[in-house]
């Protein structure tokens, strides 16, 4: 199922109108990065013309979520990111909604585009992006992860 379709079908979170709870792993997965690393990687992807799918900025946890293809679990082990897949959920706003307290979509292509996994991996390894990783490698694994963001199996 495409992210667009998942967002359309996902239930609205009762206490916060405009936010939805999306199941991850049905046709797409996520890579979560700390915001400083993720924003640098996003700038690199834009500059190189890489395929970029939906990218969500989570201001509450200061993270970015990149929509990627499923089946890339081993690809991210040596990088300061976490992959989310089956049995994980994403709290996401509607595409036109953005706020200072929650965040919003940095990228929202009008089609089924997902971020090119190889290009994202290269961007995360670029020296410009790596400069932001000093002291951050453990932050990704140790950051608080609300239950709605991932399954207990993904805890370190």
């Amino acid at each position: 199922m495409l992210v667009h379709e998942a967002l359309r079908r996902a239930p609205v979170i009762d206490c916060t109108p405009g936010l939805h709870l999306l199941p991850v792993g049905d046709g797409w997965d996520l890579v979560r990065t700390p915001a400083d690393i993720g924003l640098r990687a996003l700038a690199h992807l834009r500059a190189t013309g890489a395929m970029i799918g939906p990218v969500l900025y989570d201001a509450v946890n200061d993270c970015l979520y990149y929509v990627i293809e499923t089946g890339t679990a081993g690809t991210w082990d040596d990088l300061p990111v976490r992959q989310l897949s089956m049995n994980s959920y994403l709290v996401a706003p509607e595409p036109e909604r953005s706020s200072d307290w929650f965040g919003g979509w940095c990228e929202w292509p009008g089609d089924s585009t997902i971020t090119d996994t190889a290009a994202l991996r290269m961007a995360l390894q670029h020296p410009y992006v790596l400069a932001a990783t000093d002291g951050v490698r453990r932050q990704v694994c140790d950051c608080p992860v609300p239950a709605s963001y991932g399954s207990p199996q993904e805890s370190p």
Side-chain angles (χ1 to χ4, degrees), residues 21-44:
L21 188 60
L22 280 70
V24 179
D26 184 10
W28 52 276
D29 286 350
L30 294 170
V31 167
R32 181 177 62 214
T33 72
D36 56 348
I37 294 169
L39 290 169
R40 287 178 183 226
L42 182 57
H44 180 77

Side-chain angles (χ1 to χ4, degrees), residues 5-88:
E5 184 63 25
L7 189 59
R8 231 183 339 273
R9 291 183 180 190
V12 173
I13 298 173
D14 292 336
C15 61
T16 313
L19 291 180
H20 299 264
L21 188 60
L22 280 70
V24 179
D26 184 10
W28 52 276
D29 286 350
L30 294 170
V31 167
R32 181 177 62 214
T33 72
D36 56 348
I37 294 169
L39 290 169
R40 287 178 183 226
L42 182 57
H44 180 77
L45 291 170
R46 287 173 174 163
T48 60
M51 281 196 334
I52 305 172
V55 178
L56 178 66
Y57 172 59
D58 172 358
V60 175
N61 294 298
D62 201 30
C63 294
L64 255 65
Y65 293 86
Y66 285 86
V67 174
I68 60 164
E69 64 184 319
T70 58
T72 63
T75 305
W76 311 103
D77 292 343
D78 61 334
L79 295 170
V81 302
R82 178 178 288 171
Q83 181 185 7
L84 302 172
S85 190
M86 296 297 281
N87 299 318
S88 299

Side-chain angles (χ1 to χ4, degrees), residues 32 82-89 141 145-156:
R32 181 177 62 214
R82 178 178 288 171
Q83 181 185 7
L84 302 172
S85 190
M86 296 297 281
N87 299 318
S88 299
Y89 293 86
C141 295
V145 182
S148 61
Y149 282 98
S151 66
Q153 299 95 348
E154 292 175 323
S155 299

